Amino acid sequence: MAEPTIQRRLEKRMILMSRDGEMTERLRAPLPDDWHMEATTDLEGLGDWNEVLLYRFLLLDLDEIEVFDPLDVIRTLRMEYQINLPVFCFGGDADIRDEMRLARADRFFDRDEMVEKLPEFIRMYDWG
C-alpha cells in the first residue's frame, strides 16, 4: 500500500454521492478554484480506505436509494474502513434520516439548505 504524500493530503477535495445532475451543478457552482468535487455513486470506486481518507468530507444524497444504499455507504465508512470522514446528508425522508443517524452520519439538510451550507463547510475544511 502506497503512503499518501503530504501534497496529496493537502489537496482540497470532497465527495458527492448523487446522480442528480442539477444538484451536482448547484453544488459545484460555489466551489473555489482550488477545490475539487468527485461526483460518484460508488464509494468503492474511489479506491481503498486510505484513498477515501484523503477527501475532506462527503455529501450524501438520501434520495438516491435506487442507485446506491446510503446505509451501506455509511456502514462502509464507519465499520469497514473505520474512518470518521464527515458525512453531510441531504434529501430523504424522516425514516432514512433516523437510520442514518443511528449509523453515525453527521448532519442532515434539505436539498436547498445543502447548497446554502456548502460554502460554510468549505471554509471549515479549507486548511492547508
Side-chain angles (χ1 to χ4, degrees):
M1 172 173 59
E3 296 279 330
T5 64
I6 292 172
Q7 182 60 37
R8 290 214 45 228
R9 186 65 185 126
L10 292 176
E11 291 174 358
K12 297 173 183 177
R13 303 185 307 161
M14 59 178 265
I15 303 165
L16 170 64
M17 291 200 64
S18 179
R19 69 173 177 178
D20 182 339
E22 179 184 333
M23 187 65 174
T24 299
E25 290 310 310
R26 289 180 67 200
L27 291 167
R28 194 179 307 274
L31 285 180
D33 290 339
D34 59 342
W35 273 81
H36 172 73
M37 178 173 59
E38 183 72 41
T40 186
T41 57
D42 179 19
L43 183 67
E44 293 177 358
L46 297 173
D48 293 331
W49 69 271
N50 56 320
E51 290 296 319
V52 175
L53 187 60
L54 294 174
Y55 291 89
R56 306 277 171 108
F57 56 88
L58 183 147
L59 305 179
L60 186 58
D61 189 342
L62 300 181
D63 292 325
E64 294 287 3
I65 56 175
E66 299 88 31
V67 181
F68 59 84
D69 184 349
L71 285 167
D72 283 345
V73 171
I74 195 75
R75 288 179 185 135
T76 298
L77 281 173
R78 302 296 193 241
M79 291 194 255
E80 184 179 333
Y81 294 173
Q82 296 185 0
I83 59 177
N84 198 24
L85 184 74
V87 177
F88 305 120
C89 302
F90 60 94
D93 60 22
D95 291 337
I96 188 68
R97 286 182 176 202
D98 287 344
E99 290 182 62
M100 293 296 289
R101 274 186 194 88
L102 291 172
R104 299 187 349 231
D106 295 295
R107 296 184 58 195
F108 301 86
F109 304 96
D110 294 326
R111 298 180 89 71
D112 290 338
E113 189 179 20
M114 182 73 257
V115 174
E116 292 171 17
K117 289 287 188 179
L118 184 58
E120 178 183 332
F121 297 143
I122 290 169
R123 279 191 302 278
M124 288 172 43
Y125 293 96
D126 199 33
W127 46 264

mmCIF file with all atom_site columns, all heavy atoms in Angstrom, residues 5-24:
data_model
loop_
_atom_site.group_PDB
_atom_site.id
_atom_site.type_symbol
_atom_site.label_atom_id
_atom_site.label_alt_id
_atom_site.label_comp_id
_atom_site.label_asym_id
_atom_site.label_entity_id
_atom_site.label_seq_id
_atom_site.pdbx_PDB_ins_code
_atom_site.Cartn_x
_atom_site.Cartn_y
_atom_site.Cartn_z
_atom_site.occupancy
_atom_site.B_iso_or_equiv
_atom_site.pdbx_formal_charge
_atom_site.auth_seq_id
_atom_site.auth_comp_id
_atom_site.auth_asym_id
_atom_site.auth_atom_id
_atom_site.pdbx_PDB_model_num
ATOM 1   N N   . THR A 1 5  ? 1.216   11.125 -0.042  1.00 0.00 ? 5  THR A N   1
ATOM 2   C CA  . THR A 1 5  ? 2.197   12.184 0.144   1.00 0.00 ? 5  THR A CA  1
ATOM 3   C C   . THR A 1 5  ? 1.559   13.359 0.871   1.00 0.00 ? 5  THR A C   1
ATOM 4   O O   . THR A 1 5  ? 0.320   13.483 0.925   1.00 0.00 ? 5  THR A O   1
ATOM 5   C CB  . THR A 1 5  ? 2.730   12.665 -1.213  1.00 0.00 ? 5  THR A CB  1
ATOM 6   O OG1 . THR A 1 5  ? 1.631   13.240 -1.937  1.00 0.00 ? 5  THR A OG1 1
ATOM 7   C CG2 . THR A 1 5  ? 3.354   11.531 -2.008  1.00 0.00 ? 5  THR A CG2 1
ATOM 8   N N   . ILE A 1 6  ? 2.388   14.219 1.403   1.00 0.00 ? 6  ILE A N   1
ATOM 9   C CA  . ILE A 1 6  ? 1.876   15.426 2.056   1.00 0.00 ? 6  ILE A CA  1
ATOM 10  C C   . ILE A 1 6  ? 1.091   16.256 1.049   1.00 0.00 ? 6  ILE A C   1
ATOM 11  O O   . ILE A 1 6  ? 0.021   16.774 1.362   1.00 0.00 ? 6  ILE A O   1
ATOM 12  C CB  . ILE A 1 6  ? 3.031   16.234 2.675   1.00 0.00 ? 6  ILE A CB  1
ATOM 13  C CG1 . ILE A 1 6  ? 3.623   15.450 3.861   1.00 0.00 ? 6  ILE A CG1 1
ATOM 14  C CG2 . ILE A 1 6  ? 2.560   17.607 3.120   1.00 0.00 ? 6  ILE A CG2 1
ATOM 15  C CD1 . ILE A 1 6  ? 4.884   16.033 4.433   1.00 0.00 ? 6  ILE A CD1 1
ATOM 16  N N   . GLN A 1 7  ? 1.602   16.359 -0.161  1.00 0.00 ? 7  GLN A N   1
ATOM 17  C CA  . GLN A 1 7  ? 0.917   17.129 -1.202  1.00 0.00 ? 7  GLN A CA  1
ATOM 18  C C   . GLN A 1 7  ? -0.493  16.585 -1.463  1.00 0.00 ? 7  GLN A C   1
ATOM 19  O O   . GLN A 1 7  ? -1.449  17.348 -1.562  1.00 0.00 ? 7  GLN A O   1
ATOM 20  C CB  . GLN A 1 7  ? 1.731   17.120 -2.501  1.00 0.00 ? 7  GLN A CB  1
ATOM 21  C CG  . GLN A 1 7  ? 1.111   17.944 -3.612  1.00 0.00 ? 7  GLN A CG  1
ATOM 22  C CD  . GLN A 1 7  ? 0.965   19.414 -3.241  1.00 0.00 ? 7  GLN A CD  1
ATOM 23  O OE1 . GLN A 1 7  ? 1.824   19.967 -2.566  1.00 0.00 ? 7  GLN A OE1 1
ATOM 24  N NE2 . GLN A 1 7  ? -0.126  20.024 -3.661  1.00 0.00 ? 7  GLN A NE2 1
ATOM 25  N N   . ARG A 1 8  ? -0.630  15.272 -1.542  1.00 0.00 ? 8  ARG A N   1
ATOM 26  C CA  . ARG A 1 8  ? -1.962  14.676 -1.769  1.00 0.00 ? 8  ARG A CA  1
ATOM 27  C C   . ARG A 1 8  ? -2.881  14.942 -0.592  1.00 0.00 ? 8  ARG A C   1
ATOM 28  O O   . ARG A 1 8  ? -4.077  15.152 -0.755  1.00 0.00 ? 8  ARG A O   1
ATOM 29  C CB  . ARG A 1 8  ? -1.847  13.166 -2.015  1.00 0.00 ? 8  ARG A CB  1
ATOM 30  C CG  . ARG A 1 8  ? -1.205  12.902 -3.361  1.00 0.00 ? 8  ARG A CG  1
ATOM 31  C CD  . ARG A 1 8  ? -1.671  11.693 -4.107  1.00 0.00 ? 8  ARG A CD  1
ATOM 32  N NE  . ARG A 1 8  ? -3.087  11.491 -4.144  1.00 0.00 ? 8  ARG A NE  1
ATOM 33  C CZ  . ARG A 1 8  ? -3.660  10.298 -3.872  1.00 0.00 ? 8  ARG A CZ  1
ATOM 34  N NH1 . ARG A 1 8  ? -2.945  9.254  -3.549  1.00 0.00 ? 8  ARG A NH1 1
ATOM 35  N NH2 . ARG A 1 8  ? -4.954  10.165 -3.951  1.00 0.00 ? 8  ARG A NH2 1
ATOM 36  N N   . ARG A 1 9  ? -2.352  14.908 0.606   1.00 0.00 ? 9  ARG A N   1
ATOM 37  C CA  . ARG A 1 9  ? -3.166  15.138 1.803   1.00 0.00 ? 9  ARG A CA  1
ATOM 38  C C   . ARG A 1 9  ? -3.656  16.583 1.859   1.00 0.00 ? 9  ARG A C   1
ATOM 39  O O   . ARG A 1 9  ? -4.707  16.867 2.416   1.00 0.00 ? 9  ARG A O   1
ATOM 40  C CB  . ARG A 1 9  ? -2.357  14.795 3.063   1.00 0.00 ? 9  ARG A CB  1
ATOM 41  C CG  . ARG A 1 9  ? -3.155  14.854 4.329   1.00 0.00 ? 9  ARG A CG  1
ATOM 42  C CD  . ARG A 1 9  ? -4.252  13.786 4.330   1.00 0.00 ? 9  ARG A CD  1
ATOM 43  N NE  . ARG A 1 9  ? -5.093  13.919 5.489   1.00 0.00 ? 9  ARG A NE  1
ATOM 44  C CZ  . ARG A 1 9  ? -6.412  14.027 5.442   1.00 0.00 ? 9  ARG A CZ  1
ATOM 45  N NH1 . ARG A 1 9  ? -7.054  13.975 4.305   1.00 0.00 ? 9  ARG A NH1 1
ATOM 46  N NH2 . ARG A 1 9  ? -7.117  14.153 6.535   1.00 0.00 ? 9  ARG A NH2 1
ATOM 47  N N   . LEU A 1 10 ? -2.916  17.497 1.283   1.00 0.00 ? 10 LEU A N   1
ATOM 48  C CA  . LEU A 1 10 ? -3.295  18.907 1.303   1.00 0.00 ? 10 LEU A CA  1
ATOM 49  C C   . LEU A 1 10 ? -4.268  19.298 0.195   1.00 0.00 ? 10 LEU A C   1
ATOM 50  O O   . LEU A 1 10 ? -4.799  20.402 0.197   1.00 0.00 ? 10 LEU A O   1
ATOM 51  C CB  . LEU A 1 10 ? -2.039  19.784 1.234   1.00 0.00 ? 10 LEU A CB  1
ATOM 52  C CG  . LEU A 1 10 ? -1.138  19.724 2.467   1.00 0.00 ? 10 LEU A CG  1
ATOM 53  C CD1 . LEU A 1 10 ? 0.126   20.549 2.239   1.00 0.00 ? 10 LEU A CD1 1
ATOM 54  C CD2 . LEU A 1 10 ? -1.868  20.175 3.719   1.00 0.00 ? 10 LEU A CD2 1
ATOM 55  N N   . GLU A 1 11 ? -4.524  18.390 -0.744  1.00 0.00 ? 11 GLU A N   1
ATOM 56  C CA  . GLU A 1 11 ? -5.485  18.685 -1.815  1.00 0.00 ? 11 GLU A CA  1
ATOM 57  C C   . GLU A 1 11 ? -6.872  18.906 -1.216  1.00 0.00 ? 11 GLU A C   1
ATOM 58  O O   . GLU A 1 11 ? -7.292  18.185 -0.315  1.00 0.00 ? 11 GLU A O   1
ATOM 59  C CB  . GLU A 1 11 ? -5.529  17.534 -2.815  1.00 0.00 ? 11 GLU A CB  1
ATOM 60  C CG  . GLU A 1 11 ? -4.271  17.387 -3.624  1.00 0.00 ? 11 GLU A CG  1
ATOM 61  C CD  . GLU A 1 11 ? -4.280  16.142 -4.499  1.00 0.00 ? 11 GLU A CD  1
ATOM 62  O OE1 . GLU A 1 11 ? -5.265  15.352 -4.450  1.00 0.00 ? 11 GLU A OE1 1
ATOM 63  O OE2 . GLU A 1 11 ? -3.298  15.953 -5.226  1.00 0.00 ? 11 GLU A OE2 1
ATOM 64  N N   . LYS A 1 12 ? -7.565  19.885 -1.728  1.00 0.00 ? 12 LYS A N   1
ATOM 65  C CA  . LYS A 1 12 ? -8.898  20.234 -1.226  1.00 0.00 ? 12 LYS A CA  1
ATOM 66  C C   . LYS A 1 12 ? -9.925  19.523 -2.088  1.00 0.00 ? 12 LYS A C   1
ATOM 67  O O   . LYS A 1 12 ? -10.275 19.980 -3.174  1.00 0.00 ? 12 LYS A O   1
ATOM 68  C CB  . LYS A 1 12 ? -9.076  21.744 -1.257  1.00 0.00 ? 12 LYS A CB  1
ATOM 69  C CG  . LYS A 1 12 ? -8.087  22.440 -0.339  1.00 0.00 ? 12 LYS A CG  1
ATOM 70  C CD  . LYS A 1 12 ? -8.137  23.923 -0.473  1.00 0.00 ? 12 LYS A CD  1
ATOM 71  C CE  . LYS A 1 12 ? -7.078  24.541 0.419   1.00 0.00 ? 12 LYS A CE  1
ATOM 72  N NZ  . LYS A 1 12 ? -7.047  25.995 0.259   1.00 0.00 ? 12 LYS A NZ  1
ATOM 73  N N   . ARG A 1 13 ? -10.388 18.380 -1.570  1.00 0.00 ? 13 ARG A N   1
ATOM 74  C CA  . ARG A 1 13 ? -11.307 17.532 -2.331  1.00 0.00 ? 13 ARG A CA  1
ATOM 75  C C   . ARG A 1 13 ? -12.474 17.114 -1.457  1.00 0.00 ? 13 ARG A C   1
ATOM 76  O O   . ARG A 1 13 ? -12.333 16.904 -0.261  1.00 0.00 ? 13 ARG A O   1
ATOM 77  C CB  . ARG A 1 13 ? -10.585 16.285 -2.829  1.00 0.00 ? 13 ARG A CB  1
ATOM 78  C CG  . ARG A 1 13 ? -9.381  16.594 -3.670  1.00 0.00 ? 13 ARG A CG  1
ATOM 79  C CD  . ARG A 1 13 ? -8.729  15.373 -4.260  1.00 0.00 ? 13 ARG A CD  1
ATOM 80  N NE  . ARG A 1 13 ? -8.414  14.358 -3.272  1.00 0.00 ? 13 ARG A NE  1
ATOM 81  C CZ  . ARG A 1 13 ? -8.187  13.085 -3.574  1.00 0.00 ? 13 ARG A CZ  1
ATOM 82  N NH1 . ARG A 1 13 ? -8.251  12.659 -4.816  1.00 0.00 ? 13 ARG A NH1 1
ATOM 83  N NH2 . ARG A 1 13 ? -7.887  12.224 -2.640  1.00 0.00 ? 13 ARG A NH2 1
ATOM 84  N N   . MET A 1 14 ? -13.608 16.953 -2.087  1.00 0.00 ? 14 MET A N   1
ATOM 85  C CA  . MET A 1 14 ? -14.805 16.458 -1.420  1.00 0.00 ? 14 MET A CA  1
ATOM 86  C C   . MET A 1 14 ? -15.480 15.441 -2.326  1.00 0.00 ? 14 MET A C   1
ATOM 87  O O   . MET A 1 14 ? -15.229 15.406 -3.525  1.00 0.00 ? 14 MET A O   1
ATOM 88  C CB  . MET A 1 14 ? -15.762 17.600 -1.110  1.00 0.00 ? 14 MET A CB  1
ATOM 89  C CG  . MET A 1 14 ? -16.199 18.357 -2.356  1.00 0.00 ? 14 MET A CG  1
ATOM 90  S SD  . MET A 1 14 ? -17.363 19.671 -2.054  1.00 0.00 ? 14 MET A SD  1
ATOM 91  C CE  . MET A 1 14 ? -18.881 18.827 -2.356  1.00 0.00 ? 14 MET A CE  1
ATOM 92  N N   . ILE A 1 15 ? -16.332 14.616 -1.727  1.00 0.00 ? 15 ILE A N   1
ATOM 93  C CA  . ILE A 1 15 ? -17.072 13.598 -2.466  1.00 0.00 ? 15 ILE A CA  1
ATOM 94  C C   . ILE A 1 15 ? -18.545 13.987 -2.482  1.00 0.00 ? 15 ILE A C   1
ATOM 95  O O   . ILE A 1 15 ? -19.095 14.368 -1.446  1.00 0.00 ? 15 ILE A O   1
ATOM 96  C CB  . ILE A 1 15 ? -16.936 12.211 -1.799  1.00 0.00 ? 15 ILE A CB  1
ATOM 97  C CG1 . ILE A 1 15 ? -15.477 11.799 -1.677  1.00 0.00 ? 15 ILE A CG1 1
ATOM 98  C CG2 . ILE A 1 15 ? -17.753 11.169 -2.563  1.00 0.00 ? 15 ILE A CG2 1
ATOM 99  C CD1 . ILE A 1 15 ? -15.257 10.624 -0.726  1.00 0.00 ? 15 ILE A CD1 1
ATOM 100 N N   . LEU A 1 16 ? -19.172 13.861 -3.625  1.00 0.00 ? 16 LEU A N   1
ATOM 101 C CA  . LEU A 1 16 ? -20.624 13.982 -3.745  1.00 0.00 ? 16 LEU A CA  1
ATOM 102 C C   . LEU A 1 16 ? -21.147 12.653 -4.249  1.00 0.00 ? 16 LEU A C   1
ATOM 103 O O   . LEU A 1 16 ? -20.776 12.208 -5.332  1.00 0.00 ? 16 LEU A O   1
ATOM 104 C CB  . LEU A 1 16 ? -21.013 15.094 -4.729  1.00 0.00 ? 16 LEU A CB  1
ATOM 105 C CG  . LEU A 1 16 ? -22.496 15.130 -5.109  1.00 0.00 ? 16 LEU A CG  1
ATOM 106 C CD1 . LEU A 1 16 ? -23.370 15.431 -3.893  1.00 0.00 ? 16 LEU A CD1 1
ATOM 107 C CD2 . LEU A 1 16 ? -22.740 16.139 -6.221  1.00 0.00 ? 16 LEU A CD2 1
ATOM 108 N N   . MET A 1 17 ? -21.999 12.019 -3.466  1.00 0.00 ? 17 MET A N   1
ATOM 109 C CA  . MET A 1 17 ? -22.636 10.775 -3.904  1.00 0.00 ? 17 MET A CA  1
ATOM 110 C C   . MET A 1 17 ? -24.064 11.098 -4.319  1.00 0.00 ? 17 MET A C   1
ATOM 111 O O   . MET A 1 17 ? -24.957 11.236 -3.491  1.00 0.00 ? 17 MET A O   1
ATOM 112 C CB  . MET A 1 17 ? -22.587 9.722  -2.796  1.00 0.00 ? 17 MET A CB  1
ATOM 113 C CG  . MET A 1 17 ? -21.160 9.240  -2.570  1.00 0.00 ? 17 MET A CG  1
ATOM 114 S SD  . MET A 1 17 ? -21.046 7.660  -1.749  1.00 0.00 ? 17 MET A SD  1
ATOM 115 C CE  . MET A 1 17 ? -21.803 6.567  -2.942  1.00 0.00 ? 17 MET A CE  1
ATOM 116 N N   . SER A 1 18 ? -24.237 11.241 -5.635  1.00 0.00 ? 18 SER A N   1
ATOM 117 C CA  . SER A 1 18 ? -25.530 11.564 -6.222  1.00 0.00 ? 18 SER A CA  1
ATOM 118 C C   . SER A 1 18 ? -25.410 11.413 -7.731  1.00 0.00 ? 18 SER A C   1
ATOM 119 O O   . SER A 1 18 ? -24.337 11.586 -8.295  1.00 0.00 ? 18 SER A O   1
ATOM 120 C CB  . SER A 1 18 ? -25.926 13.003 -5.883  1.00 0.00 ? 18 SER A CB  1
ATOM 121 O OG  . SER A 1 18 ? -27.158 13.333 -6.469  1.00 0.00 ? 18 SER A OG  1
ATOM 122 N N   . ARG A 1 19 ? -26.523 11.123 -8.380  1.00 0.00 ? 19 ARG A N   1
ATOM 123 C CA  . ARG A 1 19 ? -26.532 11.138 -9.849  1.00 0.00 ? 19 ARG A CA  1
ATOM 124 C C   . ARG A 1 19 ? -27.406 12.277 -10.367 1.00 0.00 ? 19 ARG A C   1
ATOM 125 O O   . ARG A 1 19 ? -27.612 12.402 -11.564 1.00 0.00 ? 19 ARG A O   1
ATOM 126 C CB  . ARG A 1 19 ? -27.015 9.796  -10.402 1.00 0.00 ? 19 ARG A CB  1
ATOM 127 C CG  . ARG A 1 19 ? -28.473 9.532  -10.135 1.00 0.00 ? 19 ARG A CG  1
ATOM 128 C CD  . ARG A 1 19 ? -28.954 8.308  -10.827 1.00 0.00 ? 19 ARG A CD  1
ATOM 129 N NE  . ARG A 1 19 ? -30.346 8.107  -10.445 1.00 0.00 ? 19 ARG A NE  1
ATOM 130 C CZ  . ARG A 1 19 ? -31.108 7.163  -10.885 1.00 0.00 ? 19 ARG A CZ  1
ATOM 131 N NH1 . ARG A 1 19 ? -30.638 6.307  -11.743 1.00 0.00 ? 19 ARG A NH1 1
ATOM 132 N NH2 . ARG A 1 19 ? -32.355 7.051  -10.488 1.00 0.00 ? 19 ARG A NH2 1
ATOM 133 N N   . ASP A 1 20 ? -27.901 13.105 -9.470  1.00 0.00 ? 20 ASP A N   1
ATOM 134 C CA  . ASP A 1 20 ? -28.747 14.241 -9.820  1.00 0.00 ? 20 ASP A CA  1
ATOM 135 C C   . ASP A 1 20 ? -27.874 15.338 -10.437 1.00 0.00 ? 20 ASP A C   1
ATOM 136 O O   . ASP A 1 20 ? -27.159 16.058 -9.735  1.00 0.00 ? 20 ASP A O   1
ATOM 137 C CB  . ASP A 1 20 ? -29.455 14.744 -8.559  1.00 0.00 ? 20 ASP A CB  1
ATOM 138 C CG  . ASP A 1 20 ? -30.395 15.905 -8.809  1.00 0.00 ? 20 ASP A CG  1
ATOM 139 O OD1 . ASP A 1 20 ? -30.241 16.608 -9.835  1.00 0.00 ? 20 ASP A OD1 1
ATOM 140 O OD2 . ASP A 1 20 ? -31.284 16.130 -7.967  1.00 0.00 ? 20 ASP A OD2 1
ATOM 141 N N   . GLY A 1 21 ? -27.933 15.450 -11.756 1.00 0.00 ? 21 GLY A N   1
ATOM 142 C CA  . GLY A 1 21 ? -27.095 16.404 -12.472 1.00 0.00 ? 21 GLY A CA  1
ATOM 143 C C   . GLY A 1 21 ? -27.347 17.849 -12.080 1.00 0.00 ? 21 GLY A C   1
ATOM 144 O O   . GLY A 1 21 ? -26.410 18.639 -11.955 1.00 0.00 ? 21 GLY A O   1
ATOM 145 N N   . GLU A 1 22 ? -28.599 18.207 -11.876 1.00 0.00 ? 22 GLU A N   1
ATOM 146 C CA  . GLU A 1 22 ? -28.920 19.580 -11.483 1.00 0.00 ? 22 GLU A CA  1
ATOM 147 C C   . GLU A 1 22 ? -28.333 19.898 -10.108 1.00 0.00 ? 22 GLU A C   1
ATOM 148 O O   . GLU A 1 22 ? -27.730 20.955 -9.917  1.00 0.00 ? 22 GLU A O   1
ATOM 149 C CB  . GLU A 1 22 ? -30.437 19.788 -11.464 1.00 0.00 ? 22 GLU A CB  1
ATOM 150 C CG  . GLU A 1 22 ? -30.838 21.190 -11.050 1.00 0.00 ? 22 GLU A CG  1
ATOM 151 C CD  . GLU A 1 22 ? -32.340 21.375 -10.948 1.00 0.00 ? 22 GLU A CD  1
ATOM 152 O OE1 . GLU A 1 22 ? -33.089 20.656 -11.642 1.00 0.00 ? 22 GLU A OE1 1
ATOM 153 O OE2 . GLU A 1 22 ? -32.761 22.244 -10.168 1.00 0.00 ? 22 GLU A OE2 1
ATOM 154 N N   . MET A 1 23 ? -28.482 18.976 -9.168  1.00 0.00 ? 23 MET A N   1
ATOM 155 C CA  . MET A 1 23 ? -27.942 19.190 -7.827  1.00 0.00 ? 23 MET A CA  1
ATOM 156 C C   . MET A 1 23 ? -26.412 19.238 -7.869  1.00 0.00 ? 23 MET A C   1
ATOM 157 O O   . MET A 1 23 ? -25.790 20.050 -7.184  1.00 0.00 ? 23 MET A O   1
ATOM 158 C CB  . MET A 1 23 ? -28.425 18.089 -6.875  1.00 0.00 ? 23 MET A CB  1
ATOM 159 C CG  . MET A 1 23 ? -28.058 18.322 -5.437  1.00 0.00 ? 23 MET A CG  1
ATOM 160 S SD  . MET A 1 23 ? -28.890 19.788 -4.794  1.00 0.00 ? 23 MET A SD  1
ATOM 161 C CE  . MET A 1 23 ? -28.432 19.690 -3.078  1.00 0.00 ? 23 MET A CE  1
ATOM 162 N N   . THR A 1 24 ? -25.820 18.402 -8.684  1.00 0.00 ? 24 THR A N   1
ATOM 163 C CA  . THR A 1 24 ? -24.360 18.404 -8.827  1.00 0.00 ? 24 THR A CA  1
ATOM 164 C C   . THR A 1 24 ? -23.881 19.779 -9.283  1.00 0.00 ? 24 THR A C   1
ATOM 165 O O   . THR A 1 24 ? -22.924 20.325 -8.724  1.00 0.00 ? 24 THR A O   1
ATOM 166 C CB  . THR A 1 24 ? -23.913 17.319 -9.829  1.00 0.00 ? 24 THR A CB  1
ATOM 167 O OG1 . THR A 1 24 ? -24.324 16.039 -9.331  1.00 0.00 ? 24 THR A OG1 1
ATOM 168 C CG2 . THR A 1 24 ? -22.411 17.336 -10.031 1.00 0.00 ? 24 THR A CG2 1
#
